[in-house]
């Protein structure tokens, strides 16, 4: 994990959708309410569009809460370009078919945050073997979700304890998670929950974030983060 001054708070993790003003507004509202991570996800956007969106979201999030970390979904090259422009972008979240973790780490450097999608015991074990290169893993789907078809069976509440036991990496649960699920999921040992529709479609995203944080509980004291090599 990251050192205290750069603590990575995974308890409430927003994954954005859309590319318009609403995306920036929800990201800022979530950050202001205490969301620790905002992942910019726009699967249909071109690289150029994603770069502009990432920079805009990063600006809105930083203004609302400088402590909130902004990650780019799938594209370490876009994360690198945004950082090169001076945007407050902190890393990337990789899928299984994206640039390999070692290459993303080499591109983004030792200080970047890198997460990886998993969702089966085999995938978690494979991520654990790369623990010195990763900061956390996502695991899902918790439930079936229309926003992303993973091809994996839903984990449900019962699927997480085995995954948590298989790795020292913090795990974020994702897949149609709502604020009402936060407390029970936290009880499985996950470090936090990622929400997409439950935040992006909420009339009051800040209230949803506060409900999640109340369910998950206080952020644990951060442990020393492994020194990632380039």
């Amino acid at each position: 994990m990251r050192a205290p001054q750069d603590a990575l708070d995974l308890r409430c993790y927003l994954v954005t959708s859309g590319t318009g003003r609403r995306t920036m507004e929800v990201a800022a509202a979530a950050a202001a309410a205490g969301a620790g991570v905002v992942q910019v996800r726009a699967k249909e956007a071109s690289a150029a569009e994603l770069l502009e969106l990432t920079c805009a979201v990063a600006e809105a999030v930083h203004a609302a809460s400088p402590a909130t970390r902004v990650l780019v979904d799938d594209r370490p090259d876009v994360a690198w370009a945004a950082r090169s422009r001076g945007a407050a972008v902190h890393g990337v979240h990789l899928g299984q078919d994206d640039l390999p973790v070692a290459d993303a780490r080499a591109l983004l450097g030792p200080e970047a945050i890198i997460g990886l999608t998993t969702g089966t015991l085999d995938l978690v074990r494979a991520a654990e073997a790369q623990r010195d290169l990763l900061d956390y893993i996502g695991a899902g789907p918790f439930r079936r979700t229309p926003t992303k078809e993973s091809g994996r069976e839903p984990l449900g509440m019962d699927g997480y304890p085995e995954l948590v036991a298989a790795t020292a990496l913090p795990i974020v649960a994702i897949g149609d998670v709502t604020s009402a699920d936060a407390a029970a999921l936290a009880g499985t040992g996950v470090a936090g929950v990622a929400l997409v529709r439950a935040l992006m479609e909420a009339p009051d995203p800040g209230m949803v974030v506060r409900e999640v944080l109340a369910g998950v509980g206080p952020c644990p004291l951060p442990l020393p983060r492994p020194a990632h090599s380039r």
Side-chain angles (χ1 to χ4, degrees):
M1 291 290 288
R2 199 165 282 267
Q5 67 270 23
D6 293 315
L8 180 58
D9 182 356
L10 297 166
R11 293 176 299 158
C12 185
Y13 183 130
L14 165 64
V15 179
T16 70
S17 62
T19 58
R21 183 174 180 83
R22 170 72 178 172
T23 303
M24 271 71 79
E25 291 173 346
V26 173
V37 178
V38 172
Q39 179 193 134
V40 183
R41 187 167 81 181
K43 296 288 189 183
E44 304 304 317
S46 68
E49 290 168 340
L50 181 59
L51 176 58
E52 295 304 321
L53 174 65
T54 297
C55 290
V57 169
E59 182 179 7
V61 167
H62 185 74
S65 171
T68 300
R69 300 308 188 220
V70 176
L71 309 181
V72 182
D73 180 55
D74 292 349
R75 298 295 299 264
D77 56 334
V78 171
W80 178 88
R83 285 156 64 95
S84 297
R85 288 187 175 188
V89 172
H90 305 90
V92 68
H93 182 88
L94 299 170
Q96 289 291 321
D97 296 325
D98 295 331
L99 194 70
V101 171
D103 296 293
R105 176 61 68 194
L107 176 64
L108 295 176
E111 295 305 314
I113 296 167
I114 298 182
L116 178 67
T117 293
T118 68
T120 67
L121 186 57
D122 286 345
L123 290 176
V124 169
R125 286 171 172 162
E128 173 65 14
Q130 303 182 85
R131 178 158 51 97
D132 61 334
L133 298 173
L134 288 166
D135 292 281
Y136 75 94
I137 55 177
F142 169 58
R143 297 188 182 95
R144 294 194 188 280
T145 171
T147 60
K148 184 176 181 181
E149 177 50 57
S150 68
R152 295 185 296 274
E153 287 299 311
L155 290 163
M157 283 300 171
D158 295 338
Y160 285 97
E162 181 181 43
L163 303 187
V164 170
T167 181
L169 288 162
I171 293 180
V172 176
I174 187 169
D176 203 29
V177 177
T178 71
S179 59
D181 302 312
L185 279 168
T188 70
V190 301
V193 297
L195 296 88
V196 188
R197 291 186 302 153
L199 274 170
M200 293 303 303
E201 298 178 4
D204 186 347
M207 182 179 70
V208 175
V209 170
R210 290 187 289 273
E211 289 172 351
V212 169
L213 294 176
V216 174
C219 189
L221 291 175
L223 301 173
R225 178 179 178 235
H228 298 309
S229 59
R230 289 183 179 272

